Amino acid sequence: MSRKRSASKWDVVSGRTSQQNIRFSSALIGPPQHARKKFWRAVLRVRKTHPNGNFDLDLDLDNITVDIIDATPLYPPGLAFTRLHGCHILNWDVQLLQPLLPLLLVLRKHLRFESRYLYISSTMQQNAVELCTILVRDTYGELSSRVVAVLLEYGRSALHTIVRRVKIPEKVVKQTLVVLIQQHLVLHYTHDDGGRDATYYECNWLQIYELLHSGRIVRTIEERFGTDAASVISNFLLLGHARVSDFISAYGTSTKTKTNGTLPNGTPISASEATGTSQITSAAQISKHIVSLMQEKFLIPVQLHHMHPTIDTENAIRQKVTSEQAGITAAMQAKMKKAIDEKVAEKMEALSTDLDNKNFGLKRKSDYQEGRARKRAKFSSVNETDGEEWEIDGTVVLRVNHSKFLAIFRNEELVRWVESRIGKATSQVYAELLKHIEKKAISHRTEKGLTDVGKKYVVSTLDIGTTLSKAIDLVNSIAFGSSANGGSKRHMANGSHNQFGEVGEESEGDSDDYDLDADLDADLDVSMNGNHDLSSAAQEKKEQLQNIRKHLSLLAEDPNQFVTKQEGSMQYGGWTVDTERLCRLLCTRELEQIVEERFGGVATRLVRIIKDRGKMDEKGLADTALLRQKDIRSHLGALHERGFIHIQEVPKTAERLPARTFYFFYFDEGMSKMAILNDFYKAMSRIIQRIDYERGLNSMILSKSERTDVKGHEEELLTKKELTDLAKWKRTEEKLLGQLMRIDRQVMMFRDW
Amino acid sequence: MSDLQALARTVYDACIPNHQKLYTSNEILAHIPKRDPQILLDTINELLGRGYLKTLKQGDAFVYRFVTKDAVDRTRSLTSDEALVYQHIESSAREGIWTKILKTRTNLHPTVLTRCLKTLEHQRYIKPIKSVKNPTRKIYMLADLTPTIEVTGGPWFTDAELDADFINALLVAVERFVASRSFPKQKPNSGNPNAIIPFEAGYTGYPTLSDITQWVKNSNLTEVELSEADIKALLEVLIYDGKLEKVIGGTAYKAIRKIEGAVKQGFTEAPCGRCPVFDLCHEDGPINAANCVYFEKWLAEI
């Protein structure tokens, strides 16, 4: 009763009814008849099991509407207004959705919604919508951002719906959509909806977020392939995707104008502008760059399924698979479900396996030539391997492979982590190891983060040895000490290069490495005996490999287990990296660091204890933390308020009196991450808005400095005050952009890796 | 003085040097002439009546304890109410007894009880103590006893209060000790003081729990006796603080490398990560990015 009353109080205040509409567009729910039946069942079950589940169902042909009457009176109606449209959940906050979660879970189970869908929708929070809209506005202008905003807010929509909501003529909307689709920011899918086709558009917000990465991407390519390749990639970034022949023919003539025209100055991706300066003239040069970028999977051919929402692709495959199994009774169908699921997953995977082929999208150069050349290629055995010439297929449409870059950024972060934990030299060895894995593994972005099955790829010490820079001081970066404390110093003083091996063995005494080392030395001794005049180069090589192995053992022995040793055939040992686990640890570490800097050391201690021990009450916490209860109370309050820890109430009596209730604190990593991600998005939006504001303040001086006659002659043409203002603006922008990128790093850590 | 009294006195004198001991009736019988059970019974009754002996139950059998003269004099000078209260407090031994429980057990009127406690305390027979578990309770125990660890809370507590300064000092000391053993000593001529290099893989010289306990014991850091369990609690806290970690299968401890001037992560350094009104901030709201005072301040710091 009291609940009802409080709900009606809100009614008066807000002038709304407490009915919340949840709408499901039938477009998504597979074959309609079938789905509806299941939906009924799902909702009825929720009504039975859910304490607040007082649902009213209303079925019509196009929409299934669920009214939740009095379901969320705990929250004011304005807040609780949750819309599920095409199963996009927008504008909700974590707490608010909790009463609905059972419903969603049942829906997912019964309607076979792909779990990622729920996940992505659920991470698509209001702050992310705001950020995405700002990003699109800064890069592609007001018009695009309005369309994107509508798509983000209302979810999947048909063209006429968009037109109605944006209030822009259909023709303009269409043009905008074309641009957005070209950039992969909007996905589309055409359903065969009972004889007539219905096309729906959906915003790919993760791709919008990728706009922030342009600067990083261009810089990475520049470091690896030089400025020319960087300009190629930055143009692909600008274009979204492009046919190779068009790209090459347009290059050189229009590069510069395009760069400046599309990008407004000073936007977050302005970094890509800087690299567009060098001129590439010959088409051969460009195609050479493109080929090497393709072989390393920085550029990939666009496939049809890139343009469609994953869920639709999966639904289509599922429908096909199911129809192949026609003529099965309902009972059998249940049994078959698992088999079908497996088949669908298999086919989904097959879509991206094309990429595993190194030369996918390329063709052999010899194919182009006359039969004579082909024959020659056939006969020469040398050409069969990597030395083969590959040429680009002019008709292929290419795009930038963002997952690859995410993997690279992740590896950089892991290397930084190693550097802070162990040391510079070890981190350089680690970087080399990761580079080898990255070349072999193809990263895919999945619901759980990036998967590049790093565990599968074994990198041998030899591989690292061949590519590792000789300039790295491997010897003096590890101390070789016996277990006695004083001993270490002595060893270090004496531990010259020659005695190195023996010192290492002595101190490694009881570790596993000992045997391997001995074996290794024996091997090498044998080879030495067989080949008496062992050159000093080979000797050096041997030492280098041993040293590398010492660093890798250090990495393997770390509590975080940066690498895993693979016992087996490989000489000098093989190594794998479990990136998924490491990223989880990395993320946890970052979370703790945020807690530390925001709430202080005591709060971090508490969070770690709660995480380690599970649910704990205040007293237990105080005892473990060796702190007074009254001292930790305020910390717990602050942490709870910001969603880092949560409370479970366990009443001792039926009355649920606060005084007679246990309060257990617990830590839910998923929820904390989500809460903080939401904060990240908001902070990023604010930074961009602040940049806009600062630019507005300095608009006079900026427009003056950008005049063609002033540019390059600032010193002469601007007054002293103007110059200092300009410098100050530049510093301000730099600081804000730097901050933006640092938060971006955290977003990747929490969401993508 | 009757024979019985004399006999009782001899038995008492014979047994009192050993007054902590619990006597069975057979043991007392050894002091009785002719080991006559009837005389034994009379003697015990005599001693009990005068308060020199106490009956206790051990399992099913009765055992006896002799009471020292002081204690007997003490109780004798008390009123019957006071004696009752004293008895209950005495029976609680080192645990102490809560006044509320005392009240229900003795069935005395509150004012009477308070008066009794006051006199007893005044005469220094009993003392009030503070319990860690229930700091608000008034608990009494005999004046000559020391409270148990459950009551005092162990080495971390001083006057039933967690001694934060003491703990923090110990934490810092232990951390320093472990850190000094976790990394090789710096070469005096090495250029970069931040370049702490690690020990090689398989190094076994990291301090173990017993090493650390021993060090604390020998270091004169504290008068308080600290057991391995106490030190372990300290180490746990240091691990939760992210200062130490367990190595070599959890048997030894190692300090986590600290980088001086390490880069802070982005979020909390920007104004938004520390903003007290972050939830109220909205593009069109009264608090927004354009009029934000925190941004203003932060940008001025360039």
Side-chain angles (χ1 to χ4, degrees), chain A residues 296-319:
Chain A
E296 300 243 354
K297 298 294 168 215
F298 289 111
L299 289 174
I300 48 170
V302 179
Q303 290 162 294
L304 186 62
H305 68 89
H306 287 159
M307 311 305 288
H308 296 160
T310 325
I311 182 73
D312 288 311
T313 316
E314 198 196 314
N315 274 348
I317 290 174
R318 185 180 294 277
Q319 221 163 349

Side-chain angles (χ1 to χ4, degrees), chain A residues 261-291:
Chain A
T262 328
L263 271 182
N265 272 330
T267 55
I269 54 167
S270 62
S272 55
E273 267 179 285
T275 51
T277 47
S278 79
Q279 287 289 346
I280 305 174
T281 39
S282 83
Q285 220 175 336
I286 307 166
S287 52
K288 201 188 95 212
H289 283 304
I290 295 179
V291 168

Side-chain angles (χ1 to χ4, degrees), chain A residues 429-430 433 437 440 454-462 464 513 516 545 548-557 562-567 570-578:
Chain A
V429 173
Y430 195 50
L433 169 66
I437 291 177
K440 288 185 198 168
K455 272 185 280 187
K456 265 204 236 159
Y457 295 98
V458 185
V459 178
S460 75
T461 318
L462 274 171
I464 301 171
D513 291 330
L516 268 166
L545 287 174
I548 290 173
R549 237 191 44 186
K550 294 217 156 87
H551 281 279
L552 288 167
S553 316
L554 204 59
L555 286 166
E557 208 181 62
F562 289 111
V563 297
T564 316
K565 190 183 234 155
Q566 294 303 316
E567 305 297 340
M570 240 175 244
Q571 205 192 354
Y572 294 95
W575 311 86
T576 54
V577 179
D578 185 355

Side-chain angles (χ1 to χ4, degrees), chain B residues 247-282:
Chain B
V247 285
I248 321 178
T251 56
Y253 295 85
K254 172 180 185 275
I256 290 175
R257 196 160 170 258
K258 256 183 276 179
I259 306 291
E260 270 163 56
V263 190
K264 281 182 166 184
Q265 37 81 32
F267 181 57
T268 44
E269 209 193 90
C272 293
R274 291 172 278 132
C275 182
V277 286
F278 194 51
D279 290 338
L280 302 174
C281 188
H282 194 269

Side-chain angles (χ1 to χ4, degrees), chain A residues 373-523:
Chain A
R374 245 171 122 179
K375 248 182 216 159
R376 202 179 54 206
K378 230 182 210 169
F379 285 120
S380 67
S381 55
V382 193
N383 280 3
E384 292 299 313
T385 50
D386 280 20
E388 217 163 359
E389 291 271 310
W390 290 85
E391 196 176 55
I392 211 150
D393 181 353
T395 55
V396 164
V397 181
L398 293 179
R399 65 176 294 196
V400 175
N401 183 7
H402 287 273
S403 335
K404 171 88 179 179
F405 286 100
L406 282 178
I408 290 176
F409 302 148
R410 177 198 59 201
N411 291 352
E412 282 170 3
E413 193 60 38
L414 287 175
V415 169
R416 225 168 295 155
W417 188 17
V418 168
E419 188 182 336
S420 78
R421 268 193 66 92
I422 303 177
K424 181 91 184 159
T426 315
S427 80
Q428 282 163 329
V429 173
Y430 195 50
E432 208 58 47
L433 169 66
L434 289 174
K435 220 176 246 174
H436 278 283
I437 291 177
E438 172 220 305
K439 284 205 177 110
K440 288 185 198 168
I442 312 288
S443 329
H444 299 297
R445 192 181 198 150
T446 65
E447 56 190 278
K448 281 186 223 115
L450 270 187
T451 54
D452 54 8
V453 273
K455 272 185 280 187
K456 265 204 236 159
Y457 295 98
V458 185
V459 178
S460 75
T461 318
L462 274 171
D463 290 345
I464 301 171
T466 48
T467 50
L468 192 69
S469 157
K470 296 270 188 299
I472 300 167
D473 183 6
L474 294 169
V475 182
N476 290 322
S477 43
I478 299 186
F480 297 94
S482 58
S483 21
N485 199 29
S488 63
K489 202 174 177 181
R490 199 182 59 236
H491 279 306
M492 271 176 55
N494 296 340
S496 69
H497 291 243
N498 297 338
Q499 290 169 335
F500 181 74
E502 286 90 48
V503 176
E505 270 178 35
E506 237 172 58
S507 51
E508 271 179 4
D510 48 355
S511 77
D512 298 344
D513 291 330
Y514 176 71
D515 296 339
L516 268 166
D517 260 349
D519 288 350
L520 185 69
D521 286 349
D523 280 356

Side-chain angles (χ1 to χ4, degrees), chain A residues 507 557 608 612 742 746, chain B residues 200 202 240 245 264-266:
Chain A
S507 51
E557 208 181 62
R608 286 211 183 98
D612 191 39
R742 288 170 73 187
Q746 292 175 301
Chain B
E200 65 192 315
Y240 288 132
E245 62 191 354
K264 281 182 166 184
Q265 37 81 32

Side-chain angles (χ1 to χ4, degrees), chain A residues 7-21 76-83:
Chain A
S8 59
K9 194 179 81 193
W10 276 321
D11 291 347
V12 177
V13 173
S14 68
R16 272 196 191 176
T17 65
S18 64
Q19 291 193 358
Q20 279 87 44
N21 292 336
L79 251 182
F81 190 74
T82 306
R83 195 169 21 208

